[in-house]
Amino acid sequence: PKPGFSRSPCPALNALANHGYIPRNGTNISFWTLFGAIRHVYNLSFPLAMLLTTVGYITSGTLSLLPAKQSELSHNDTLLTIITRFLPHPSWTLNLASLCITGPYSIAHDASLVHKDVPGSMADPALVAQLLTLAHHKQSSPYNTSLSIPIKSKYRDGLTLCDLGCLHAEREDALPPTHKLNKLHEQVALGECGLAWCVMRTHDEDPEQGTIPVRVLEQWFGEERLPDGWWDVGGGRPVREVGLREAAKRAAEVGLFKDQN
């Protein structure tokens, strides 16, 4: 992005801006523009896309009234059309940088996978490197692997849902007592991990399996762009629509690893 462009702590949204699916400057994004973009690009169901967009705009959006548009009347205009034409109309917009604002009821939270525990939109190179190192040199989990969560994959490198769960648990455990996540931030963090796996995992395996390949991790988390071949047949974009139930299930599975520590 160019200097001065607005960006968020979310690689999914930043990638949309970097590719032009939403305004590239990341400002004044309308509700329906963002809703349509995340649904189309990441193949999310209507309910899931609506939930994510609504939460983002409620916590970080700006609701305003725009002045009425002055235009010439037509003989085909109805009375209702004439009245509404001269009334101000509501506008619900969002700047990506507003998602960096911290607070008990905001979306931004500590214990992110690739962001430091300070307000900001830039991924931390050290944490990205840590993520990629884990993906390259996975070791057996220190947690109970008897859970019904996909752990093994035919791909040697990459991150499974199990890996993301362990990493999230470690990041949250490292927080000082005064910075523990509240219930809202905990659910946001779990949802991010679960949804990242749902969207970015390999889709040629069993639905209960799947790995986020190293190159995808590097391009999405590190470079904040859609992975190579995203729109190709059988490429990175989810083949099946990712629904609300699926996302909630994966978020809950990620949370199981924290409960074991």
Side-chain angles (χ1 to χ4, degrees):
K2 296 180 179 179
F5 277 13
S6 179
R7 290 296 183 264
S8 75
C10 176
L13 298 183
N14 292 344
L16 292 179
N18 291 336
H19 286 278
Y21 292 103
I22 58 178
R24 291 184 181 274
N25 62 9
T27 63
N28 294 318
I29 307 167
S30 73
F31 181 94
W32 293 110
T33 295
L34 185 57
F35 167 82
I38 63 174
R39 188 164 186 235
H40 170 63
V41 174
Y42 298 118
N43 200 16
L44 306 186
S45 69
F46 186 100
L48 179 55
M50 179 60 68
L51 174 64
L52 297 175
T53 308
T54 301
V55 170
Y57 276 74
I58 288 177
T59 59
S60 307
T62 300
L63 185 61
S64 59
L65 287 177
L66 299 181
K69 296 180 180 180
Q70 301 298 327
S71 59
E72 295 183 1
L73 297 177
S74 168
H75 68 278
N76 293 323
D77 290 338
T78 64
L79 178 59
L80 180 60
T81 302
I82 295 173
I83 294 174
T84 56
R85 183 175 296 175
F86 290 94
L87 291 176
H89 58 280
S91 173
W92 208 3
T93 59
L94 176 78
N95 295 338
L96 291 183
S98 65
L99 295 170
C100 299
I101 299 174
T102 58
Y105 302 107
S106 66
I107 291 180
H109 59 85
D110 293 339
S112 169
L113 294 179
V114 295
H115 289 83
K116 289 184 176 180
D117 298 331
V118 294
S121 62
M122 297 293 294
D124 179 59
L127 291 177
V128 173
Q130 182 187 62
L131 188 76
L132 296 177
T133 299
L134 174 63
H136 274 296
H137 307 288
K138 292 189 297 183
Q139 299 177 353
S140 54
S141 168
Y143 297 87
N144 178 8
T145 56
S146 63
L147 298 170
S148 58
I149 297 176
I151 295 177
K152 295 182 179 180
S153 168
K154 70 179 182 180
Y155 290 88
R156 176 180 170 184
D157 291 334
L159 295 181
T160 64
L161 188 64
C162 171
D163 297 322
L164 291 176
C166 293
L167 183 58
H168 165 71
E170 292 172 2
R171 292 280 289 135
E172 188 169 349
D173 291 342
L175 292 175
T178 56
H179 286 73
K180 294 301 182 183
L181 302 184
N182 62 23
K183 290 183 178 181
L184 172 62
H185 290 162
E186 175 70 21
Q187 290 305 310
V188 171
L190 296 179
E192 289 172 350
C193 293
L195 190 56
W197 182 82
C198 289
V199 171
M200 290 294 161
R201 70 175 178 86
T202 50
H203 299 284
D204 57 344
E205 300 183 61
D206 185 275
E208 291 299 317
Q209 298 291 323
T211 304
I212 306 179
V214 173
R215 67 167 183 83
V216 173
L217 292 167
E218 185 173 12
Q219 293 169 357
W220 200 54
F221 282 105
E223 302 172 12
E224 297 189 327
R225 65 181 179 90
L226 295 178
D228 294 339
W230 183 256
W231 294 105
D232 295 345
V233 176
R237 185 175 182 265
V239 177
R240 295 185 302 110
E241 191 175 71
V242 179
L244 186 57
R245 181 178 299 179
E246 170 77 0
K249 176 183 178 182
R250 302 311 178 186
E253 290 175 342
V254 172
L256 293 177
F257 290 90
K258 174 181 177 296
D259 296 336
Q260 292 184 81
N261 194 26

